[in-house]
Amino acid sequence: MKRFIIVLGIMFIAFGMVFAAENALEIFSWWTGGGEEEGLMALFKLFNQYYPDVKIINAAVAGGAGTNAKAVLKTRMLGGNPPDSFQVHAGMELTDTYVIPGLMEPITDLLKEVGAYDKFPKALIDIVSYKGEVYSVPVNVHRANVVFYNKEIAKKIGMTKEPTTWTEFLMYLDKAQKMGYVGIALGDKNKWTSLHLFESIMLAELGPEKYNKLWKGEASFNDPAIKRALSIMKDILKYVNADHSALTWQDATRMVFEGKAFSNMMGDWAEGYLKTLGWKPGKEFGWFALPGTQNAFMLVSDTFGLPKNAPHRENAIKWLKFLATVEAQDTFNPIKGSIPARVDADKSKYDVYLQWSMKDFSTKAISPSIIHGSAAPEAFATALMDAINKFVTEQDVNKTFKEILWIAEDNDYLID
Amino acid sequence: MKKKNVIIGIFVILPSIIAIAIFVYGFISWTVRVSFSNWNSFSKLLRGVYKFVGFRNYERLFQDTRFQTDLWNTLFFTIFFLFGAISLGILMAILIDKGLKGSKFFQNIFLFPMAISFVVTGTVWSWIFAPGTLPANPQGLNLLFQKLGLDNFMWGWYTSTYSLGKFNVALIAVIIAAVWQLAGYTMAMYLAGLRGIPNDIIEAAKVDGASEWKIFWKIKMPLLKPITLSALIILGHISLKIFDLVFAMTGSGPNFVTDVPAIYMFELTFRSNRYAMGSAIAIIMLLFVAIVIIPYLVSSMRGEK
């Protein structure tokens, strides 16, 4: 019995020692693969150059575009065991899930103090704000509404200039199909990709102004433009690969690389993927904004926030200040294959595609993405995702439109 | 002395009794409670703002076309999976039991899939059944069919949205993978049963002139009844709560043709933050499993008496 108590005592002390790592900083993210993990490591290294005595704990959770990590994070936040800072998509994913329940600390003053507040585009600051206070630091920006295409196939089908209207685009898709290629590759095994495509079409038909108003309750979902978007989606689906539901987005992007498909509509992480496969932007592959969205930038932005009761709050603040610097943003983004959220970053560090994207980011209208958690609460996004997935199979425009109205109503977005 | 033993005994099992009371039964009752509420957002959950809505979540579920698909899928999956795994298991057990040359080797081969997790099985079989862009660029099994000139056998596998009545044909691919995974385990159970049958009974039957076939049906099968029951229980509860295999293999498929309740529950709870709806599915699944398990518990308790 005595020995047992001694063993128990030693276990407790050891336990305590592990968790009392005094000068630590726990960073939670879902960056575990490819360029994103390398980028994160580069950030950690740079951070340690400034603060060599802070020990960084990398609490990354792998899998499924962050879905697994989000579940883990929710459990930790609920259990009162938050990490010091965590990755979260700008917008409702942050606001609805963590800010409104009062789990986050505002960091407006922090950004003002380091002179970074006005270095982000106003539309982006709006997305990470709630009731006038900023709640997270945007680190990178991805553009969602981009079509990447195989230049060799483009030449074969006689495409001399990038299409700007649906008629032109559909004509090229048709030509590609007639020559034995898949017009537009889709990989919707993980479901979100079909909503990714649809939300960009919706943005094209509504226009960025009306689209952005939807989320503020200033525009109605009961809009013929949404129905039009569904019909366009139906037209596009004629040129999609038959095995789309067996593939992931990487598989779909790969079809463009392998010369099986003419194009792929995907966020610009696909550009990073094509580069890792060995292609050079502008040489083997080209890109254009999805027709109708040339004047809009569908934004996906990763940000880091400050949870209340962060165990190492001082270090977390150092981390957030650090992320807001040009140096940190220019270290991370060229590796990850995204553009910096700050508009005053060094353009020469980025490739042709990213420079194009940076130019558009500072000049075009910024719209939040639904499926990537920026525009609407997760309940809305997942319900819409299910509806669009049924649509991909059934292709019933009226039925899906009705369902979209129901989902909007369920989430208090229907205003008439 | 004896009294002291009893006290120590109680003391030793007390922690697990408390743990089970809290972490199993406590949480089950908590889930039941949540399933009767309207906790359908993360912020509501945190602020504790909720009200009881009775059976509303259950009503909504049974009207939900996706959940209806899930229930039919569970039914067909369970029937074909149990039939497939048990019949294949018996067949393999009989062949191995014959003690032919190399049977030990095959015994290990058949049992091996058991050592692999459902996630790996799902991933591998999703490659095998990947249809490819038909008819021009088949993949996996379809590619094999094409090479053999069996073009008529090429089809969409788990991406097919065709259905026969309520049966989604895409399920066939998932059932094959599940049977592959667990037939070996069923074989091991039957093999143990067959080896446990005393040889003299069989010898006596042979002396009486019974055929192999008759020995199997009239003597071996009745003696293997407890094994069949265990197999039904073990495989049955796996099939009712299957998640990982389907998730890794098809991701619930186009138009949810291969969706199952566990996936819907996971997505509602952890993606949409609709905790009440998720809990309702969890409770329905618990009831299904209880229907399978409870008769077994009752019969085994009777047996102990």
Side-chain angles (χ1 to χ4, degrees):
Chain A
M1 200 64 192
K2 217 177 200 172
R3 197 178 284 165
F4 178 69
I5 290 169
I6 292 169
V7 170
L8 211 66
I10 292 172
M11 274 170 69
F12 263 112
I13 293 165
F15 209 72
M17 272 161 67
V18 169
F19 279 83
E22 56 310 307
N23 200 9
L25 172 65
E26 189 188 9
I27 303 296
F28 186 96
S29 74
W30 57 85
W31 286 330
T32 54
E36 47 189 42
E37 191 182 11
E38 283 166 43
L40 186 67
M41 291 305 147
L43 271 186
F44 287 168
K45 214 173 136 198
L46 187 65
F47 182 81
N48 273 138
Q49 277 174 19
Y50 289 103
Y51 307 103
D53 49 336
V54 176
K55 192 180 168 295
I56 298 177
I57 304 165
N58 179 19
V61 176
T67 39
N68 301 347
K70 285 175 205 170
V72 174
L73 181 64
K74 277 175 205 163
T75 329
R76 290 191 55 174
M77 295 294 277
L78 269 178
N81 173 30
D84 293 312
S85 184
F86 61 86
Q87 176 195 3
V88 60
H89 284 136
M92 284 309 265
E93 188 181 307
L94 167 73
T95 321
D96 182 63
T97 319
Y98 302 110
V99 177
I100 297 171
L103 293 170
M104 303 298 288
E105 276 190 51
I107 54 165
T108 323
D109 295 339
L110 189 82
L111 286 180
K112 281 184 177 155
E113 188 192 316
V114 294
Y117 183 77
D118 52 356
K119 295 295 188 290
F120 299 98
K122 184 163 179 311
L124 180 56
I125 285 288
D126 283 349
I127 292 174
V128 292
S129 299
Y130 178 68
K131 290 190 176 163
E133 293 276 5
V134 181
Y135 280 91
S136 66
V137 183
V139 180
N140 67 354
V141 169
H142 278 294
R143 188 176 192 172
N145 55 324
V146 198
V147 178
F148 296 95
Y149 67 92
N150 182 319
K151 280 206 150 177
E152 207 186 309
I153 299 178
K155 210 188 250 171
K156 280 189 192 153
I157 60 171
M159 187 177 106
T160 47
K161 115 186 184 337
E162 277 118 19
T164 50
T165 62
W166 292 123
T167 343
E168 272 180 277
F169 187 41
L170 288 167
M171 181 191 81
Y172 288 129
L173 292 181
D174 197 53
K175 274 189 181 163
Q177 195 178 50
K178 289 215 172 97
M179 291 186 72
Y181 300 107
V182 168
I184 179 163
L186 175 71
D188 64 346
K189 179 177 177 181
N190 293 328
K191 305 272 186 279
W192 61 268
T193 43
S194 43
L195 177 54
H196 182 103
L197 175 60
F198 176 71
E199 66 177 15
S200 289
I201 302 174
M202 207 170 113
L203 175 66
E205 288 306 294
L206 282 161
E209 203 180 320
K210 218 192 237 174
Y211 174 88
N212 289 358
K213 277 185 176 170
L214 284 180
W215 316 114
K216 295 176 188 143
E218 291 163 9
S220 171
F221 269 88
N222 201 348
D223 192 308
I226 293 179
K227 215 171 191 175
R228 270 203 316 275
L230 285 168
S231 326
I232 291 168
M233 176 105 168
K234 196 172 162 179
D235 288 339
I236 287 181
L237 286 172
K238 283 183 209 139
Y239 305 104
V240 156
N241 43 313
D243 63 341
H244 59 89
S245 56
L247 305 181
T248 61
W249 74 262
Q250 285 98 332
D251 299 328
T253 308
R254 225 192 145 87
M255 287 177 75
V256 176
F257 173 76
E258 287 169 347
K260 287 180 187 159
F262 160 59
S263 68
N264 174 221
M265 191 265 155
M266 189 33 64
D268 53 19
W269 41 92
E271 195 251 357
Y273 183 60
L274 285 170
K275 280 197 294 185
T276 57
L277 292 175
W279 270 13
K280 287 213 168 55
K283 199 159 167 256
E284 285 96 353
F285 68 96
W287 57 86
F288 53 89
L290 190 75
T293 65
Q294 291 88 352
N295 55 348
F297 192 103
M298 178 78 89
L299 160 137
V300 181
S301 173
D302 290 304
T303 70
F304 279 84
L306 180 61
K308 275 185 187 163
N309 305 322
H312 310 94
R313 190 169 174 275
E314 290 302 305
N315 288 340
I317 287 172
K318 281 180 200 161
W319 167 253
L320 294 175
K321 279 184 184 167
F322 164 76
L323 288 180
T325 60
V326 174
E327 196 191 1
Q329 303 226 332
D330 278 345
T331 303
F332 178 70
N333 287 304
I335 305 175
K336 163 117 199 290
S338 47
I339 66 170
R342 281 179 74 127
V343 288
D344 58 347
D346 182 2
K347 283 202 172 57
S348 66
K349 289 194 166 144
Y350 298 85
D351 67 32
V352 217
Y353 166 78
L354 292 171
Q355 284 179 7
W356 172 81
S357 175
M358 282 163 96
K359 201 181 106 231
D360 274 12
F361 179 57
S362 51
T363 53
K364 304 285 160 81
I366 292 176
S367 291
S369 153
I370 305 167
I371 190 59
H372 299 289
S374 300
E378 287 172 301
F380 178 90
T382 45
L384 187 61
M385 181 170 83
D386 283 4
I388 295 301
N389 270 296
K390 279 186 229 158
F391 177 72
V392 170
T393 309
E394 293 170 358
Q395 307 205 357
D396 185 334
V397 173
N398 288 323
K399 188 184 151 205
T400 309
F401 183 60
K402 210 160 68 188
E403 258 180 68
I404 292 177
L405 292 182
W406 284 341
I407 297 163
E409 194 186 352
D410 272 352
N411 289 277
D412 304 322
Y413 275 125
L414 201 65
I415 50 172
D416 52 355
Chain B
M1 203 58 199
K2 214 171 177 198
K3 205 173 175 191
K4 200 181 159 198
N5 277 345
V6 170
I7 292 170
I8 291 177
I10 290 175
F11 192 73
V12 166
I13 61 164
L14 201 62
S16 54
I17 289 181
I18 294 173
I20 288 172
I22 296 173
F23 294 107
V24 178
Y25 295 97
F27 284 3
I28 287 176
S29 7
W30 180 251
T31 309
V32 172
R33 187 186 146 123
V34 172
S35 76
F36 287 117
S37 75
N38 69 344
W39 269 6
N40 281 324
S41 83
F42 193 62
S43 51
K44 262 188 194 166
L45 182 63
L46 279 166
R47 285 178 288 146
V49 189
Y50 65 95
K51 59 175 194 272
F52 286 94
V53 291
F55 282 92
R56 205 178 84 104
N57 292 319
Y58 293 89
E59 276 166 35
R60 278 187 74 165
L61 266 184
F62 283 102
Q63 284 162 10
D64 184 341
T65 48
R66 179 171 172 183
F67 191 64
Q68 286 165 6
T69 315
D70 290 355
L71 292 178
W72 285 108
N73 282 351
T74 306
L75 178 75
F76 287 116
F77 178 79
T78 306
I79 292 172
F80 290 112
F81 166 62
L82 289 183
F83 180 76
I86 289 178
S87 51
L88 201 62
I90 293 180
L91 188 72
M92 292 193 298
I94 291 171
L95 292 178
I96 300 251
D97 192 44
K98 290 262 175 256
L100 301 172
K101 208 174 174 210
S103 64
K104 251 274 157 21
F105 176 69
F106 281 103
Q107 184 182 337
N108 290 326
I109 292 219
F110 293 149
L111 197 54
F112 196 65
M114 255 281 287
I116 300 170
S117 88
F118 264 135
V119 176
V120 179
T121 306
T123 310
V124 171
W125 283 92
S126 80
W127 295 332
I128 295 176
F129 287 134
T133 35
L134 296 176
N137 290 307
Q139 272 177 23
L141 207 53
N142 282 346
L143 187 64
L144 184 71
F145 286 149
Q146 195 197 40
K147 294 257 156 108
L148 295 174
L150 302 165
D151 283 20
N152 292 335
F153 285 92
M154 300 198 305
W155 66 297
W157 293 108
Y158 59 83
T159 64
S160 167
T161 49
Y162 185 72
S163 66
L164 295 165
K166 296 285 180 191
F167 177 68
N168 295 316
V169 290
L171 272 180
I172 293 172
V174 185
I175 292 165
I176 291 175
V179 168
W180 178 84
Q181 169 93 352
L182 282 160
Y185 176 61
T186 325
M187 171 205 75
M189 287 181 16
Y190 277 106
L191 201 55
L194 283 172
R195 302 246 158 107
I197 295 172
N199 228 352
D200 35 340
I201 304 181
I202 311 288
E203 291 301 324
K206 272 188 189 157
V207 170
D208 289 341
S211 66
E212 282 269 333
W213 189 246
K214 217 165 187 176
I215 291 175
F216 177 73
W217 279 113
K218 298 278 170 173
I219 299 174
K220 287 185 179 173
M221 272 322 270
L223 285 169
L224 289 175
K225 225 174 171 180
I227 306 274
T228 306
L229 187 66
S230 316
L232 282 174
I233 303 289
I234 290 167
L235 300 177
H237 92 272
I238 290 177
S239 90
L240 289 174
K241 53 186 200 192
I242 189 117
F243 172 85
D244 29 14
L245 175 73
V246 188
F247 198 76
M249 190 168 167
T250 71
S252 77
N255 205 9
F256 309 110
V257 280
T258 50
D259 199 37
V260 288
I263 290 182
Y264 196 19
M265 187 210 83
F266 172 77
E267 287 184 350
L268 279 176
T269 317
F270 296 108
R271 291 200 180 154
S272 320
N273 295 337
R274 295 169 74 185
Y275 299 94
M277 292 288 271
S279 303
I281 298 183
I283 294 302
I284 292 171
M285 283 169 61
L286 180 77
L287 291 177
F288 284 161
V289 176
I291 290 170
V292 175
I293 299 279
I294 286 174
Y296 173 72
L297 288 181
V298 169
S299 77
S300 70
M301 268 193 316
R302 271 203 202 121
E304 270 169 37
K305 273 178 196 168

